[in-house]
Amino acid sequence: MKIDQGEIVGSLAELDALTERASGGAAGKTMRRIDQYARQYIGLSPFCCLATGDGSGHADVTPRGDKPGFVRILDNTTLLIPERPGNNRMDSLRNIIENPSLGLLFFIPGFEDTLRINGRGHVTKDPRLLAESTVDGKMPKLGIIVSVDEAFLHCVKAFRRSRLSDAGAQVPRATMPTLARMIMDQMAEKADEAKPAEAAVKAFDAQIEEAYRTTLY
């Protein structure tokens, strides 16, 4: 699709002319620290999304999930996110080393409002900090220290529009192929090869499930 460059909003002045200014609670809700409500929210949250960007400005968002309160509050302006085993791409950590700016979006099951935090990150290997994030006897090797610049609660409109928390809106997983099938098909397409046989896909599915069972921590 060809983008009409004449319809691109190219300045803040043009954006302001097309939208209304934030007012009331939307304009005044930003905190510069973790207050009592942000503290309680983080303590109840088992899931957040972490947005980062590399030194060239390429953006990335990754999901982070664990037991409620897995993001630890070190003080009123500092958080610690443990780095659990994943796919070893280390996209977020690589980005933070190049560009410390980051954003967090916290969720609580059953809540439609969310908590947003913007700040700066640093990758730590300090065992004194990481020891308290030990689970099942396994201490994370790395963590992300977040220096909080902004913290504020976000309204429920996106959840209401998407019906994300509505059980009746859930899509059966069988609507799409398994993760193994999709990844293997994508890799085959990139290599200009035939799609893998079903037996190979089932073996990969089993390998993924075994990794989920044995390497969460």
Side-chain angles (χ1 to χ4, degrees):
M1 178 179 177
K2 185 177 180 180
I3 304 299
D4 186 344
Q5 296 299 316
E7 297 298 328
I8 297 295
V9 178
S11 70
L12 296 180
E14 185 178 2
L15 178 64
D16 290 340
L18 292 168
T19 60
E20 295 183 13
R21 286 278 186 171
S23 61
K29 64 184 178 181
T30 301
M31 305 291 291
R32 302 298 177 186
R33 58 182 176 81
I34 304 299
D35 74 337
Q36 59 175 324
Y37 299 117
R39 180 178 291 271
Q40 186 175 13
Y41 200 108
I42 293 169
L44 292 170
S45 175
F47 183 83
C48 68
C49 292
L50 169 64
T52 59
D54 66 15
S56 300
H58 298 107
D60 183 69
V61 178
T62 61
R64 302 281 164 148
D66 210 329
K67 297 175 182 177
F70 75 99
V71 175
R72 289 170 37 219
I73 301 170
L74 302 184
D75 58 42
N76 287 343
T77 58
T78 315
L79 306 176
L80 177 68
I81 307 171
E83 181 69 17
R84 301 300 186 193
N87 55 19
N88 292 322
R89 288 174 58 103
M90 298 294 170
D91 294 324
S92 298
L93 273 60
R94 292 178 184 278
N95 288 348
I96 288 169
I97 289 171
E98 291 187 0
N99 174 8
S101 295
L102 58 77
L104 288 164
L105 182 64
F106 286 91
F107 300 81
I108 298 174
F111 282 40
E112 291 182 311
D113 38 74
T114 53
L115 174 68
R116 291 171 58 182
I117 289 180
N118 297 318
R120 293 153 290 114
H122 298 88
V123 178
T124 181
K125 59 180 182 180
D126 188 343
R128 298 172 303 168
L129 291 176
L130 298 170
E132 291 188 33
S133 293
T134 298
V135 175
D136 294 342
K138 297 177 181 179
M139 184 181 76
K141 294 180 180 179
L142 299 167
I144 301 169
I145 298 173
V146 179
S147 299
V148 176
D149 293 331
E150 297 180 319
F152 54 93
L153 294 162
H154 195 96
C155 75
V156 307
K157 289 180 180 178
F159 268 70
R160 294 283 172 90
R161 287 190 290 257
S162 65
R163 298 175 63 205
L164 195 62
S165 59
D166 185 345
Q170 291 189 3
V171 179
R173 183 60 188 85
T175 302
M176 292 184 67
T178 67
L179 179 64
R181 165 56 74 183
M182 292 188 288
I183 290 175
M184 293 181 79
D185 284 355
Q186 289 170 336
M187 292 174 65
E189 182 178 354
K190 286 174 62 178
D192 197 23
E193 299 174 348
K195 290 185 178 181
E198 190 61 27
V201 174
K202 288 183 177 180
F204 190 23
D205 270 321
Q207 180 182 341
I208 290 173
E209 285 300 324
E210 178 66 10
Y212 292 158
R213 188 181 68 83
T214 60
T215 61
L216 285 183
Y217 296 97

